[in-house]
């Protein structure tokens, strides 16, 4: 896991709800269990500042960094996609973009990556489709004709042309196999920093599907789509590991209260149904 991705996950999953700010020293401590050294953390912070995700802030404990409005917006929208709220409702219509040609190769590649992240796929170099409009599209500052379109034909054929569903399905199956090994390596009496590291790696691997899976509605997916089984596993284990991971974050934030070095893991059954406060304690 690289430092920049780990920082995005840390701010999104833990610091966003704690004011979206932390000292540099705290950030270094929090990423240490992931094997990320202090110089790499500082380099990643500098890059995120240049890109407009973080900004300098002076804290009582020393220099720190806080989320910018741009960073808050991106993380909130990413969280809604990471922790998916049930099946996707689809109107049967497509959001279609016809772009003006982009001559600069680097800018063209950035645009392609940005559109793919938002769930669009190319039908040609300049025509892209998505199953629904993205609220983040304006942030790409593209010049395009935008259509709310219907298809005269089988939408599954269109999906098969636009997205490589076999590759996405294989990626889900591989992620689930790796995730089961990762989570299975964690003992019941694991130290909170171990739990934090495992949960962070679980989240980081799952977050990569933001760049691969457009979030197609169930009626456009093959039967037995492995993404659903993977989603259920991720949500269960992310919830089960959260209390101990949170305990680690609280201990390493500046001015945090003392936390026991070990925190009980919530049982899978409790996580699946929503653990009570008593179970988490």
């Amino acid at each position: 896991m690289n430092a920049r991705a780990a920082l995005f996950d840390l701010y999104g999953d833990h610091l966003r709800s704690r004011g979206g700010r932390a000292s540099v020293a705290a950030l270094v401590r929090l990423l240490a269990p992931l094997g990320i050294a202090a110089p790499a953390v500082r380099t990643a912070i500098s890059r995120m500042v240049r890109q407009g995700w973080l900004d300098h802030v002076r804290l009582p404990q020393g220099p720190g960094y806080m989320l910018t409005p741009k960073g808050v917006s991106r993380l909130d929208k990413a969280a809604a996609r990471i922790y998916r709220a049930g099946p996707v409702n689809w109107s049967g219509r497509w959001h279609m973009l016809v772009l003006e040609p982009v001559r600069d190769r680097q800018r063209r590649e950035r645009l392609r990556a940005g559109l793919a992240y938002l769930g669009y796929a190319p039908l040609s170099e300049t025509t892209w489709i998505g199953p629904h409009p993205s609220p983040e599209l304006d942030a790409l500052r593209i010049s395009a004709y935008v259509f709310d379109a219907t298809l005269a034909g089988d939408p599954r054929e269109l999906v098969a042309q636009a997205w490589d569903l076999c590759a996405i399905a294989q990626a889900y199956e591989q992620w689930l196999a790796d995730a089961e090994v990762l989570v299975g390596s964690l003992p019941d009496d694991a130290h909170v920093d171990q739990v934090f590291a495992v949960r962070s790696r679980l989240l980081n691997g799952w977050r990569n599907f933001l760049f691969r899976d457009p979030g197609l509605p169930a009626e456009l997916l093959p039967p037995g789509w492995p993404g659903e089984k993977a989603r259920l596993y991720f949500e269960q284990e992310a919830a089960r590991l959260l209390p101990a991971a949170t305990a680690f974050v609280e201990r390493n934030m500046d001015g945090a209260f003392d936390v026991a070095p070990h925190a009980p893991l919530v049982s899978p059954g409790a996580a699946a149904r929503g653990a009570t406060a008593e179970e988490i304690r």
Side-chain angles (χ1 to χ4, degrees), residues 39-261:
V41 175
R42 293 189 176 92
T43 298
I45 290 171
S46 297
R47 183 181 176 192
M48 292 173 70
V49 169
R50 290 195 303 271
Q51 294 173 336
W53 305 115
L54 297 177
D55 202 359
H56 304 271
V57 62
R58 190 71 187 178
L59 300 172
Q61 301 81 13
Y65 291 87
M66 64 182 293
L67 287 167
T68 63
K70 171 185 172 181
V72 169
S73 177
R74 170 52 65 92
L75 289 178
D76 287 353
K77 290 181 173 68
R81 294 173 62 191
I82 291 170
Y83 299 99
R84 305 171 189 175
V88 177
N89 294 321
W90 187 50
S91 66
R93 303 182 71 84
W94 296 93
H95 199 236
M96 186 169 71
L97 311 173
V98 180
L99 311 178
E100 290 187 1
V102 178
R103 302 185 189 281
D104 181 74
R105 187 178 66 83
Q106 289 187 339
R107 182 167 173 264
R108 187 168 60 247
E109 290 305 313
R110 287 196 302 269
L111 180 60
R112 291 179 65 88
L115 287 171
Y117 174 80
L118 297 183
Y120 293 88
L123 295 180
S124 69
E125 186 67 33
T126 58
T127 302
W128 290 67
I129 61 165
H132 42 72
S134 170
E136 296 184 80
L137 188 60
D138 289 345
L140 293 183
R141 298 178 181 176
I142 62 173
S143 180
Y145 293 103
V146 180
F147 298 88
D148 178 34
T150 57
L151 176 69
D154 187 348
R156 290 180 181 82
E157 293 182 3
L158 180 67
V159 166
Q161 177 184 341
W163 288 278
D164 188 346
L165 292 185
C166 289
I168 297 173
Q170 289 172 1
Y172 272 123
E173 291 168 349
Q174 186 62 58
W175 177 87
L176 182 56
D178 293 343
E180 288 173 338
V181 171
L182 174 66
V183 173
S185 70
L186 196 62
D188 290 341
D189 61 348
H191 195 281
V192 292
D193 62 343
Q194 294 175 284
V195 179
F196 172 82
V198 165
R199 188 177 185 279
S200 296
R201 293 189 174 98
L202 188 75
L203 172 62
N204 183 260
W206 184 251
R207 187 171 65 88
N208 288 333
F209 285 103
L210 296 181
F211 300 89
R212 303 196 65 171
D213 187 344
L216 294 168
E219 57 262 44
L220 297 180
L221 295 170
W225 180 246
E228 181 62 14
K229 183 178 180 181
R231 179 186 69 82
L232 292 173
Y233 183 84
F234 168 75
E235 291 180 352
Q236 171 183 291
E237 293 305 312
R240 187 174 72 91
L241 302 176
L242 181 59
T246 298
F248 171 77
V249 173
E250 295 290 358
R251 174 195 287 181
N252 285 280
M253 291 293 286
D254 296 305
F257 51 82
D258 290 334
V259 179

